[in-house]
Structure formats: C-alpha cells, structure tokens
Amino acid sequence: MAEQEFPTRYHGYNVLDKSSSPDWDDQTREVVRRRLEEVPPVRFLTAEEARTLAAIAERIIPQPDRSENEKVPIVPFIDEKLFKDEGDGYRYEELPPQREAWRLGLAGVDEAAQALFAGKSFVELDPLSQDVVLTHVARGDALGAAWKRMPAARFFKSVLCITVVKTYYSHPLAWNEIGYSGPSSPRGHVRKWEGGVDPWEAQEVR
Amino acid sequence: MREKENKDWTLRAPGIHGECVPMCDRAREEVDFCIVGAGAGGGVVGAKLAEAGFSVVILDAGPHWNPVKDFVSDEVASRKLFWTDERITGGDDAVELGANNSGKGVGGSTVHYSMIAMRAHPEDFRRRTLEGEVPGADMQDWPVTFEDLEPYYEEVEEALQIAGPTRYPWGRRRKRYPQREHELNASAQVLVRGCMKLGIPVAPAPIATLSAPHRDRPPCVYRGFCNYGCTTNAKSSILVTYIPRAIAAGAEVRANSMVARIEHDEHGRVTGVLHFHKRSSELFRQRARNVVLAGYAVETPRLLLNSSSTLFPDGLANSSGLVGKCFMLHTGEQVFAKFPDHISQYKAPPPGGAITEHFNRTMPDVDFICGYTIEVVGPHPVDFAARLATARGMWGATLRRTMLDYNYYSGLGIVGEVLPQWGNIVKLHGTERDGYGLPVAHVVFSFHKNDKQIVAHAKEKMKEILRAAGGEDVWSADRTAHLLGTCRMGADPSDSVVNRDCRAHDVPNLFICDGSVFPTSTAVNPSLTIEAIAARTADRISEMARRGELKNV
C-alpha cells in the first residue's frame, strides 16, 4: 500500500551498483560511503528537539514505504550542520543565527501545535493534524511566542523545509527512486538528446 | 627568464592534473602588484601583469583547488566551493548569496560558473544616452565603449577557447569562435523546438568548455556537474587557464589568505595589505607598490569599507560615497515543464545549451526598457527539489511524487537586466562579525519596477516556448544570479569610484578589477566582460608603467 504511494519508474535501479564503475571517482565514492555508513550522532539538538524534527521531516518528506531503520536519515545530517555551525553564506536579516533559528523554530512548531490542538505537542499529533500545524507555519499564521521573534513563513521556506528536502535528495535511496544517474566522473554521458539514455543510466521499467 | 633565475622558486602549488608545480615565494618582497581575489578579474589581470614582467602576488580567501582530487560529483559535498561565511541579506527582495553566486578559492566563481561566454553589446555601454533618465534608477553610460573592449573579448575568448556556433545571430559581427559548438542537449532541443514554432531566433550557446582537445586539456565528457567543479579540466575556469599562466610567469598565488585591510601611507597611497593565513589569527603584511582589488561585488566594497582610516573615514576610495552603492545582480527567473520523453536534465548543463537573445533589447511594444537572454538550465535533484519546495511551496507526499518525474522536466532561465539604484547597497553590518572578527557584509536589495516587468515578460515568454515545445505542468521559480556594481567606473570622480582604466579616482595606486565596476548590469552572463575588462586593465597598466605614470614600478 505504502509503496504504491510512490511508484518509481526505475524498479531495481541501484545507483550504488555503479560505485566501482568509471562513473565514480575515489573522492565521490568516499563522500557517499560516509553518508551511508557514518551517519553522525545527534550532538546539537536535545532529544526532544530531535524527536520533533524527525516528526516534521516525516511530514515534509514522508517515507511510509520504509521501516524505521530503512528510512533516509534526516535529523542526523541537519544536527551535524548545526553542531559544526556550517553556514550557507547568507542569513536573512529577519532571522537569528542558524543555531538559534532552529531551536526557536522547533519550539515554535510545538507552540503552534499546542495552540491548535488543546495543548498537545507536535509529536503527539496524528499525521493529518501535523500537516495542519505545518501549513500554518508555512503560511506564516502559526500561533506561538517563537513566531513573534522570527517570521514563521521565512523560517519554514528558507530554513526548515528546504534543509529537509535537500538532505533527502542527497541520499542514494532518493536517487534510485527518481532514476538519477548520480556521480559521473570520469565517464560522463553520451546520449544527451531527448529520449536518450546511456546503458549506464537508470533504465525505465514499463 | 631573468626573473626565473633570480627569484625564489621554493613554493609548490597544485597543478591542474594533480601534480605540483614550482611557484615563486614573494612574501618578503615589496611586489609591484598585490591582487586580492583570484577569480575572473584577479586571475586575468594577475597573469597578464606577471607575463608583462611585473612582480605579482595574488591572494585568495579560499583554497587552491586540485581539480582532479578536490572536486566531487555530489551536490552537497560541493558546498566547500562557495562563500559560506556569514553575510546578512535584506531589503524587499533579499538576495540569496552563498552557493547562488559566490565562489571562494583560487579560480573564484569561475570554478562553479555556468561558462556561458557572452559579449555585452554596443548599446549596453550607452544605456543612459539611449534610454534617458529613468525615475528611481541611476543609469550611466560606461566610460569604455564596446569598441574599447572588443579586442579584449577576442583575446579572452581565445584564451578560454570558447566553443560556439559558426554564426552567432546577435550583436556586432564577429570572427569565428575558437572551438566548434557542443552538440545540443535535450533541454536545448526543447528550447530550439519551442522557439522555432514561435518564430523566435535561437542558437547554440557559446560556452567556455572545450569541445575538442586543447593543449593539455581534454574535451568535455558531459558529466553534468559543471556547477560543482570540473574534474576533467574541460571547463575553462580561471583556475585551469590564467592561474597556471600566472604561476609560470613568476606570480605567487597565495591561497587561504583572507585580506583584512588595505594599508596606506600618509599621502594616501596604498602600501600593501594585511591578511590572515589559513586558521592563524595572526595578520601578515604583504607590501606592494600597487593593489588590485578583485573580490567581486560584495567582498570588494566590504574590504574598502573595512579599510577606513583617519585619512579615509568613509572607507578607502570612497570620496564619492559610491562604494557599496548601486549594487546589482541579474534576475534569473526559471520556468520548468514536463515532457513526454526523457530529458534527464542532469545531462543538460551549459555545454550543449542553446540561447536566445531575441529579447535582449529595448522592445518597441512594451512599457519597460532593456531586456533579457533566455538560456537552458539543468538542476540536479537536490537543487530541483529545493526549487519545487521554495517556488511551488511543495512538500509532503506531493513533493516526493512530483520528484518521481524528475527526469521528464526541462528548464529555461533568464539573465535579466536589473537597473542600478542608489538604495541597493552593500554596507558593513553594525554588530555581526565573521570568524576573523571582521564586520560582515550587509546586502540590501529591492527590485526596480522595470526589473519586475522584465521578469513578468520573460516568465510568459518562457512558458509560451515550453508549451509550444510540448511541455505540460509548466511552473516558474523566482531566482537571481551574479553580483555586480558597488564600485562603478566613470569619468566623473564625484559620481564613480574608478576611472575607465579601473584606477581608483582617490588613490592612484589602487585598481578595482571585477564585477563591481559595472555601471549597468547588461543582460548577458558577466564573466566574459569581467575578464575582458581585466585584460584591458592589465594592458593599460603596462602602458602607464612604460610612460612612468605609476610610481616606483
């Protein structure tokens, strides 16, 4: 049932099958290996914040088709960015520094949940109610003290949502389902015209 | 050659094939030219000055990349290529900085640029004359003409071995591009088909990427990771073209060296720079008879403002008050549509792209001036999904399901002209400091009405083109690209920062040579014009030195 929700065109495609082919150079192999095998521990967020973020991530990119330990990990990579305080090179003037923005934003999502659903925290809500909360945050009309200090819509669009989405689509499991050829150095591509698919790219199963 | 024998060739720099090359150590000398920034401006001017026999140091805040080892075929791991130090962005239309437009490291933004190598047009240098006064904007003619830059466009096109069509339909008649055009990719085929249906002229794009072997560099294999660093050296970045020339000619390219301030003497002449090196908190002094600033339109004004002193209380070279003013960029609206055939847009980066400059002009039947160029784009999944999230407000199962058709989307994007406005500025932030303790840049930007009209027109045209080509589910994403203005060139010292030779009006031995000197933005990708200005500036400097107009050189 859950698998049907996200019907891939590329059954059986695994981008990692190419990792010892001329499509992958050593440095790329190492980067992807680390992403798969060395999922960082949560060091910046509190256990409670991490739980809230995990629940939010599951609504922004739902993975009902995967068991808990099969899911693309999202929280650890966001936590690592915050732990190392790796910036993006710019900050909107209405936002506080990123560590503060995330702490405030996660608290704000909980405040919005409590305001809408009789004091329940975000993780206690069913998925539909969670979506209602996130819709309010995305629209910028969520309730809560946090959103008096930081505009909810800007936080959702430019910090929360985009970071979750980027984390998911940097993972080979995501590349598989969309048929992305992935790393391609040094071989590159030949059939780059409309309808063209190289034999070493994802083949569509119709 | 005499230089080679006498100088101290004890340093080693990364070559472009993973080897090490000998490099001069110039840390202890007073060099003729200290160049700040090793990108499109600094790399070209540095190489040419070194080849002209001057002693040169080129400083860059970031690393000296080894293309075959450091560049990774991965969107997220490539964040190291970008300027990720904090900057504050605001205004009605706050600009996305970082990976969107700011490089860090030797080669600068050309390491990740899209390589679209276009000349500006004769009209671009005379916008004020042609359009008259525009309310709310501060249009100026350039103090150089197209004819001044034309031989330098040709020079850098040859140096970068631009691959382009036999006949390019727009602009002044030109000689053939050094290399043949790339075979069109799927997104370009879409643009061509749409344009042909609508009667819009279209052509293969001129690209700074080899289509045939050139010296020690191979042709493009279409990896598709152009915006994340080229691992095969087919891409003609400054890192693999002018930088090796600079080093071979005796320049020292000093990486990981963030410049904190430019120093001057009591007569107001610059004497060198103070810079950090790697993670050290100690400041190093590089003495220089002349300084060339080439840090791009945010870091260049930031450094001038951070170099204020009792003699220059408002920042160096800022008697006009124009340093940091008239900050510009390009609108970069993108439109995507879904097609029945595989597009695989990751294979559709610039090499093999197509272009139309049909709307790059003031059109007779619209109520705005200037225009835009349409090009093809091909974001990889992380970037494409981010567009769906931010532009379409998509998240949840809808986003994941839409992404399943990633390979079927094709995209177009523009380079749209943005008018110069006094209120768009780069200034120092009042309280925020970077890792070195230096005040960070605060960029404030809002569109002019004309900018928005250009975007609205372009959006409709791109939608028409994609629909005419057979596209469905057509959607658009607001974007910007490039950084320009903030130290504009001009004849009048009260109304510009540098003169036509990129020499600061206030400080005779200070030059600025990057995108900051643009008085207007043009509607073409700026790298070739930055490089042409840098190439011309180097020649002008050599002439001035020959005539004895540069002190002590």
Side-chain angles (χ1 to χ4, degrees), chain A residues 168-179:
Chain A
Y168 181 78
Y169 285 101
S170 67
H171 197 278
L173 277 182
W175 301 346
N176 290 345
E177 71 184 13
I178 66 172

Side-chain angles (χ1 to χ4, degrees), chain B residues 332-352:
Chain B
E333 189 74 14
Q334 297 184 346
V335 175
F336 293 90
K338 199 165 120 183
F339 287 83
D341 271 334
H342 249 254
I343 301 294
S344 307
Q345 42 179 336
Y346 54 84
K347 289 190 288 189

Side-chain angles (χ1 to χ4, degrees), chain B residues 95 101 138-139 142 296-298 324-331 417-421 424-426 443-445 451 481-486 488 515-522:
Chain B
V95 181
N101 44 27
D138 189 20
M139 303 279 279
W142 292 46
Y296 214 11
V298 173
K325 303 281 170 34
C326 293
F327 167 75
M328 297 175 290
L329 37 71
H330 286 127
T331 46
E417 180 132 8
V418 155
L419 303 187
Q421 297 180 72
N424 289 338
I425 54 177
V426 174
V443 181
V444 180
F445 184 82
D451 307 340
H482 312 138
L483 303 166
L484 302 164
T486 69
R488 75 176 172 208
S516 10
V517 302
F518 283 35
T520 55
S521 74
T522 80

Side-chain angles (χ1 to χ4, degrees), chain B residues 191 194-195 198 200 335 356 358-359 361 363 365-366 368 372 374 412 414 454-468 474:
Chain B
L191 174 59
C195 283
L198 298 172
I200 299 168
V335 175
T356 175
H358 186 61
F359 306 103
R361 60 200 159 99
M363 292 170 266
D365 47 353
V366 296
F368 58 87
Y372 56 93
I374 299 180
L412 303 177
I414 61 161
I454 287 176
V455 169
H457 190 273
K459 201 189 304 195
E460 284 319 302
K461 280 295 163 201
M462 287 191 285
K463 287 180 174 176
E464 265 179 58
I465 290 167
L466 289 178
R467 287 199 183 100
V474 184

Side-chain angles (χ1 to χ4, degrees), chain A residues 55-67:
Chain A
I56 295 170
E58 181 61 22
R59 296 321 302 153
I60 290 175
I61 299 283
Q63 303 183 60
D65 50 331
R66 299 183 181 123
S67 67

Side-chain angles (χ1 to χ4, degrees), chain B residues 144-468:
Chain B
V144 290
T145 62
F146 176 81
E147 288 71 21
D148 291 327
L149 285 189
E150 194 174 22
Y152 294 99
Y153 276 129
E154 206 167 287
E155 178 182 316
V156 293
E157 283 171 347
E158 189 62 33
L160 301 178
Q161 289 287 296
I162 308 301
T166 313
R167 185 185 167 276
Y168 189 71
W170 302 279
R172 189 68 60 85
R173 201 181 148 85
R174 49 161 301 126
K175 68 181 257 188
R176 275 196 71 168
Y177 283 102
Q179 291 210 336
R180 63 176 181 256
E181 70 199 42
H182 290 265
E183 183 187 19
L184 291 186
N185 57 45
S187 296
Q189 290 178 325
V190 165
L191 174 59
V192 168
R193 188 167 63 245
C195 283
M196 304 266 279
K197 284 235 168 93
L198 298 172
I200 299 168
V202 60
I207 301 289
T209 303
L210 301 183
S211 59
H214 177 70
R215 299 200 180 134
D216 58 346
R217 294 166 48 217
C220 182
V221 294
Y222 310 107
R223 287 170 56 237
F225 282 88
C226 315
N227 295 137
Y228 306 96
C230 181
T231 54
T232 66
N233 287 320
K235 176 179 192 165
S236 296
S237 67
I238 294 301
L239 174 66
V240 305
T241 55
Y242 281 92
I243 291 297
R245 278 172 55 180
I247 292 172
E252 181 190 340
V253 177
R254 197 177 303 153
N256 299 304
S257 297
M258 175 70 182
V259 176
R261 65 181 290 125
I262 302 170
E263 296 189 296
H264 62 77
D265 62 18
E266 69 274 19
H267 309 294
R269 293 178 60 89
V270 297
T271 55
V273 304
L274 289 175
H275 69 87
F276 295 98
H277 190 60
K278 296 185 178 159
R279 298 217 167 268
S280 161
S281 57
E282 189 188 342
L283 277 170
F284 297 85
R285 174 170 287 123
Q286 175 65 53
R287 292 177 299 133
R289 296 180 191 100
N290 299 273
V291 170
V292 183
L293 198 41
Y296 214 11
V298 173
E299 292 308 315
T300 286
R302 179 187 175 209
L303 180 53
L304 290 172
L305 297 173
N306 270 334
S307 300
S308 62
S309 62
T310 42
L311 202 55
F312 299 105
D314 301 320
L316 204 55
N318 195 23
S319 68
S320 63
L322 261 163
V323 169
K325 303 281 170 34
C326 293
F327 167 75
M328 297 175 290
L329 37 71
H330 286 127
T331 46
E333 189 74 14
Q334 297 184 346
V335 175
F336 293 90
K338 199 165 120 183
F339 287 83
D341 271 334
H342 249 254
I343 301 294
S344 307
Q345 42 179 336
Y346 54 84
K347 289 190 288 189
I355 198 167
T356 175
E357 286 200 66
H358 186 61
F359 306 103
N360 181 11
R361 60 200 159 99
T362 293
M363 292 170 266
D365 47 353
V366 296
D367 56 355
F368 58 87
I369 59 164
C370 305
Y372 56 93
T373 297
I374 299 180
E375 302 167 354
V376 302
V377 297
H380 284 244
V382 168
D383 250 7
F384 187 72
R387 302 259 205 298
L388 286 171
T390 53
R392 294 186 97 174
M394 219 180 240
W395 52 276
T398 321
L399 172 61
R400 213 181 134 194
R401 270 199 291 271
T402 305
M403 279 299 288
L404 293 173
D405 292 329
Y406 165 73
N407 282 339
Y408 287 79
Y409 280 90
S410 188
L412 303 177
I414 61 161
V415 174
E417 180 132 8
V418 155
L419 303 187
Q421 297 180 72
W422 274 81
N424 289 338
I425 54 177
V426 174
K427 58 183 177 182
L428 298 179
H429 194 272
T431 53
E432 293 287 337
R433 299 289 178 270
D434 69 5
Y436 301 103
L438 302 170
V440 308
H442 186 174
V443 181
V444 180
F445 184 82
S446 308
F447 286 125
H448 189 276
K449 179 175 161 233
N450 196 79
D451 307 340
K452 294 181 186 173
Q453 287 172 300
I454 287 176
V455 169
H457 190 273
K459 201 189 304 195
E460 284 319 302
K461 280 295 163 201
M462 287 191 285
K463 287 180 174 176
E464 265 179 58
I465 290 167
L466 289 178
R467 287 199 183 100

